[in-house]
Amino acid sequence: MRDQTIQYGTRYERAQVFMIDVTAEETGDEIYNKCVYTPELTVKARSLVLATGAMGRAGNPLPGEKEYLGQGVSYCATCDGAFYRDAAVAVYGITTEAIEEAMYLTKFASVVYWITSLCISKDTAGGLERNKVLDQDLLEQLLAKDNVVHMERTKLVEVLGDMSGVNGVRIKKPDAEDEEILEVEGAFIYGAGGGSKPITDFCQSKVDLDENGGVIVDENMKTSVDGVYAIGDIRNTDYKQVVVAAADGCIAAMAVEKFLNNRKMVKVDWIHK
């Protein structure tokens, strides 16, 4: 899908967005008045579509989790995994989501510490028995990876870091007197039951949000700001499916075309008669 868009002239950049501006007053530009800021580059445009999704995290944050969110703490391996190429990372959680995310991180990280507070297996008369709630095939694939270190019955106590971001996690094993520090550059945390908090920290109140943190849009996916649209899980609807996000994207694309060409109506490819 990415290759197809690039073939049609799309420029693809992988970077972490920390802020946006969406008005001429903020950017000082009457035409290209939408700005996206990243450490590597600044993108200026006439229109902007927000499609950052939602985070898989629920429950009370761990010490250091909120402080280093976006600076080493993440809830999305597919979003941030490539930033940790040849680095050590920790994944905390005993859900299938955590296993899937840890599996994805093995493509990039030098070592993935998978930390689970409970045992996922036990010795029985019939041999080793795995936790039947988890995806067995995926579990076996993860544990077979050479760069995965599974730490059972281990509690993640705190995320550690400094001005440059996460540099470790503090863990505690029940049979150990002292806590232990793992040197990692990333901490991917997945609570039981997952979560659906929209990723909107970079917006900094530039667009209106609902009481649950989702970006408010109209039927054309337009936000509270002209020329700014939002699609997918960032809207925080009850229908969190890929096909819904794709439909949102189609609607937004047609609305953007209407906006850029100052049309009164959406241009359609055909008309039913």
Side-chain angles (χ1 to χ4, degrees):
M1 184 165 55
R2 186 187 72 178
D3 292 343
Q4 183 184 33
T5 61
I6 292 174
Q7 288 174 4
Y8 280 88
T10 300
R11 176 179 170 182
Y12 177 81
E13 297 286 347
R14 177 180 285 275
Q16 190 164 0
V17 176
F18 61 83
M19 189 176 75
I20 60 173
D21 283 330
V22 294
T23 65
E25 290 75 16
E26 294 169 333
T27 63
D29 192 323
E30 291 292 336
I31 299 175
Y32 295 94
N33 53 22
K34 310 293 185 284
C35 276
V36 178
Y37 301 96
T38 81
E40 292 81 14
L41 74 163
T42 298
V43 179
K44 300 184 71 175
R46 294 169 58 197
S47 184
L48 176 63
V49 180
L50 308 177
T52 49
M55 298 182 289
R57 175 73 170 117
N60 295 325
L62 296 163
E65 181 179 342
K66 292 178 64 177
E67 290 81 352
Y68 295 106
L69 181 60
Q71 302 180 65
V73 171
S74 175
Y75 309 123
C76 179
T78 53
C79 306
D80 300 328
F83 294 115
Y84 300 95
R85 190 177 298 277
D86 299 324
V89 300
V91 175
Y92 184 58
I94 198 170
T95 63
T96 295
E97 179 187 24
I99 298 174
E100 291 173 340
E101 298 288 87
M103 190 71 181
Y104 184 80
L105 287 166
T106 62
K107 301 177 182 179
F108 305 101
S110 59
V111 58
V112 177
Y113 294 103
W114 180 32
I115 304 169
T116 58
S117 57
L118 303 173
C119 285
I120 64 165
S121 58
K122 63 180 179 179
D123 289 315
T124 67
L128 192 65
E129 184 176 301
R130 301 293 192 192
N131 186 322
K132 291 183 172 58
V133 175
L134 303 174
D135 185 312
Q136 298 299 299
D137 290 338
L138 193 62
L139 180 58
E140 295 298 336
Q141 289 178 45
L142 178 64
L143 295 177
K145 291 291 184 180
D146 294 335
N147 59 340
V148 170
V149 177
H150 183 208
M151 310 183 78
E152 288 187 296
R153 298 183 64 218
T154 302
K155 182 179 180 182
L156 180 58
V157 177
E158 183 182 5
V159 179
L160 307 172
D162 53 27
M163 292 183 65
S164 62
V166 170
N167 57 25
V169 293
R170 191 188 306 276
I171 61 173
K172 179 69 167 64
K173 298 179 180 179
D175 54 352
E177 293 184 6
D178 299 323
E179 295 176 342
E180 180 182 348
I181 294 177
L182 298 176
E183 294 184 358
V184 298
E185 295 182 25
F188 293 78
I189 303 172
Y190 302 95
S196 58
K197 180 182 178 183
I199 302 173
T200 56
D201 52 315
F202 65 93
C203 293
Q204 299 178 343
S205 303
K206 298 298 177 71
V207 296
D208 289 347
L209 308 178
D210 63 25
E211 63 273 14
N212 295 314
V215 177
I216 299 173
V217 299
D218 63 13
E219 66 274 12
N220 296 311
M221 303 298 146
K222 187 180 83 69
T223 69
S224 56
V225 178
D226 287 342
V228 180
Y229 303 81
I231 63 174
D233 287 353
I234 194 173
R235 296 173 51 215
N236 201 27
T237 69
D238 293 332
Y239 309 103
K240 295 177 176 60
Q241 299 292 329
V242 173
V243 67
V244 175
D248 288 354
C250 178
I251 294 171
M254 297 178 73
V256 167
E257 193 275 340
K258 171 188 170 185
F259 171 78
L260 294 178
N261 290 286
N262 198 28
R263 302 184 194 277
K264 292 184 178 180
M265 299 180 63
V266 171
K267 183 180 180 181
V268 296
D269 293 328
W270 68 87
I271 298 176
H272 294 288
K273 295 184 178 179

